Amino acid sequence: MSDDRETPTTHAFKAEVAAVLRLVTNSLYTNRDIFLRELVSNASDALDKARFAALVEPELEGKDLAPKILVQIDVAAGVVVVEDNGIGMSAAEAERNLGTIAHSGTLEFLQQAAKNREGKPDLDLIGQFGVGFYSGFMVADRIVVETRSARPGQAPVRWTSAGDGSFEMSAGSRSERGTRIALHLRDDAKEYLDRWRLQQIIKRYSDYVLHPIELTQRDEGGELQGAGEQVNAAKAFWTRSAKELTDADYQEFYTHVMGGFVLPGDKPLARLHVGMDAPIQFKSVLFVPGHRPMDLFGEDSKHLRLYARRVLVMESCDKLLPSYLRFFRGVVDSEDLPLNVSRETLQEHHSLAAIRRQLTRKALALLADTAKDDPEGYAKLWHEFGVFLKEG
């Protein structure tokens, strides 16, 4: 008996590129400030790729260049520029990386590096989703990219798009390796021509990116302000060894964690500096505040700050400690947490549960040690936060 059913055929999904691009730029992110975090993170990745490639490619150009990220504001032209002197792109790479939504050059680089090194390379690259670049269209009606690959024999490239589903490519004019991204701001995004506004965004999201970030502004009269001024810390406090830190260092970071201001004499009642590699890699610095924060009972109460590879992804994450320990303040930084594609929220994952278990265990051990070794200090702690511990 013959089978009259038709042989199934395979079809590829089709997508309306302009609609997908609008979805990525207008619906993926909840905060327009994120565009600067994403572009700075991409620039940082480009510098790390150049450092790694230089180890295995002796012919790579620009090895003597000091790594740097430059954010420039041109008030008269209405343009914000993010520039790096990293690995750069060839014409083929620019077409593939910038012209294919959700194609991640960073992820591809990591996969190739792992194959060459027969294991996980020693690289902390940030962007692996391939959509961060397009966040620029939240604030720009046109983006112009000038790039030149660090690999010899590659000509400079110019890439231009208005975010309408198409892009143009032509010969570029860049003389040294790296990438320059110029955002021609929309009328409703002129607020980003304010130097202090951009500095605030960099300090909030990218303060601990390892490479120096310089911010300059050319005002309407053409006068340059802030040349050569580094605006980020470039070294995460929690990555330093506890042995090299003093009480004054911790007090300064406590002030930063508490929002930049504490009352005179407000010192943390206890502190915890954690660095773990197994079963999950993360680093953390936690404090028990000297006084009860005012927001502990509100809906908008603050929790721990969450970083991924030293880039802020959540200002207040309530999934890292149980609710009865919500009086702790501090930061957690991990390379292993699965974030959603916009890197603004967490996905439920066993890694998150592992961090929560380890942090909770360490926090409770800290409280127990304080009660044993410093009864007077623990009495103050109990006076401020005993109600929460009873809740637990």
Side-chain angles (χ1 to χ4, degrees):
M1 183 176 179
S2 62
D3 190 348
D4 295 331
R5 290 177 297 179
E6 293 183 4
T7 303
T9 57
T10 301
H11 302 269
F13 286 106
K14 295 180 175 62
E16 180 62 46
V17 176
V20 172
L21 193 56
R22 284 196 299 271
L23 179 67
V24 169
T25 57
N26 297 325
S27 303
L28 186 60
Y29 300 96
T30 59
N31 183 353
R32 291 207 302 180
D33 293 353
I34 294 296
F35 86 91
L36 190 57
R37 180 196 74 176
E38 295 295 300
L39 296 182
V40 167
S41 295
N42 287 349
S44 175
D45 282 351
L47 292 168
D48 287 334
K49 291 176 191 176
R51 174 182 60 84
F52 184 82
L55 300 175
V56 294
E57 300 178 43
E59 71 280 4
L60 207 70
E61 296 179 359
K63 289 185 178 182
D64 56 336
L65 292 174
K68 182 174 66 174
I69 300 170
L70 180 61
V71 179
Q72 301 170 301
I73 303 169
D74 189 329
V75 176
V79 173
V80 170
V81 172
V82 179
E83 183 176 3
D84 67 77
N85 56 0
I87 195 70
M89 290 179 284
S90 64
E93 289 170 333
E95 182 176 0
R96 184 168 65 251
N97 295 342
L98 304 181
T100 308
I101 298 174
H103 173 85
S104 171
T106 292
L107 183 58
E108 185 179 62
F109 186 90
L110 278 174
Q111 291 170 342
Q112 187 61 42
K115 187 184 301 181
N116 294 341
R117 287 293 186 94
E118 298 181 351
K120 183 179 179 181
D122 183 22
L123 273 171
D124 294 334
L125 301 185
I126 302 164
Q128 298 178 35
F129 291 111
V131 296
F133 167 77
Y134 306 102
S135 64
F137 286 113
M138 290 193 295
V139 298
D141 53 24
R142 186 164 67 98
I143 296 179
V144 179
V145 179
E146 292 274 357
T147 184
R148 184 188 184 102
S149 175
R151 295 182 171 91
Q154 300 292 338
V157 180
R158 179 184 173 92
W159 183 98
T160 307
S161 177
D164 55 2
S166 64
F167 60 90
E168 296 179 358
M169 291 184 64
S170 59
S173 58
R174 188 175 178 87
S175 58
E176 68 174 28
R177 78 178 196 186
T179 301
R180 181 182 189 272
I181 300 174
L183 306 172
H184 294 257
L185 297 181
R186 301 190 323 210
D187 290 338
D188 64 350
K190 298 299 185 183
E191 62 195 271
Y192 295 107
L193 294 175
D194 182 345
R195 178 167 174 259
W196 301 111
R197 174 70 186 280
L198 290 196
Q199 181 170 329
Q200 182 184 40
I201 296 172
I202 292 171
K203 294 289 289 183
R204 180 181 181 187
Y205 290 105
S206 308
D207 199 29
Y208 304 114
V209 167
L210 287 179
H211 307 289
I213 303 172
E214 293 183 10
L215 177 61
T216 63
Q217 175 178 319
R218 196 172 294 279
D219 59 25
E220 292 183 349
E223 185 175 345
L224 188 65
Q225 302 171 356
E229 178 183 339
Q230 180 176 328
V231 295
N232 66 320
K235 186 173 179 64
F237 180 88
W238 53 88
T239 62
R240 298 167 63 185
S241 169
K243 295 179 180 178
E244 69 179 70
L245 296 169
T246 65
D247 290 342
D249 294 328
Y250 280 108
Q251 180 64 31
E252 181 180 352
F253 189 64
Y254 172 69
T255 302
H256 174 74
V257 164
M258 297 302 288
F261 173 78
V262 293
L263 294 173
D266 181 3
K267 295 182 179 181
L269 298 176
R271 68 176 184 239
L272 180 65
H273 194 155
V274 181
M276 301 197 70
D277 294 315
I280 184 173
Q281 184 278 332
F282 74 93
K283 292 181 173 63
S284 177
V285 176
L286 303 183
F287 298 99
V288 177
H291 300 286
R292 182 187 296 184
M294 299 296 293
D295 60 2
L296 284 176
F297 294 101
E299 290 185 2
D300 56 349
S301 61
K302 292 199 169 34
H303 300 275
L304 304 185
R305 291 182 184 177
L306 177 65
Y307 289 77
R309 300 173 182 86
R310 301 171 306 280
V311 175
L312 180 67
V313 292
M314 290 186 71
E315 186 75 50
S316 179
C317 181
D318 61 356
K319 299 181 183 297
L320 296 169
L321 282 175
S323 61
Y324 65 87
L325 295 179
R326 63 185 177 275
F327 55 87
F328 273 87
R329 292 292 185 266
V331 301
V332 177
D333 184 12
S334 177
E335 300 175 24
D336 298 332
L337 281 178
L339 305 171
N340 77 339
V341 69
S342 68
R343 295 193 291 144
E344 292 181 287
T345 57
L346 279 171
Q347 300 176 23
E348 290 295 338
H349 194 268
H350 63 84
S351 300
L352 177 62
I355 290 181
R356 182 185 173 100
R357 281 196 304 272
Q358 295 291 340
L359 273 185
T360 301
R361 184 171 61 84
K362 293 284 188 181
L364 293 178
L366 173 68
L367 298 179
D369 290 342
T370 303
K372 178 182 177 181
D373 301 332
D374 184 11
E376 184 178 343
Y378 187 77
K380 296 178 182 177
L381 190 154
W382 183 264
H383 174 73
E384 295 288 342
F385 306 110
V387 61
F388 302 100
L389 297 176
K390 288 179 182 179
E391 175 188 324

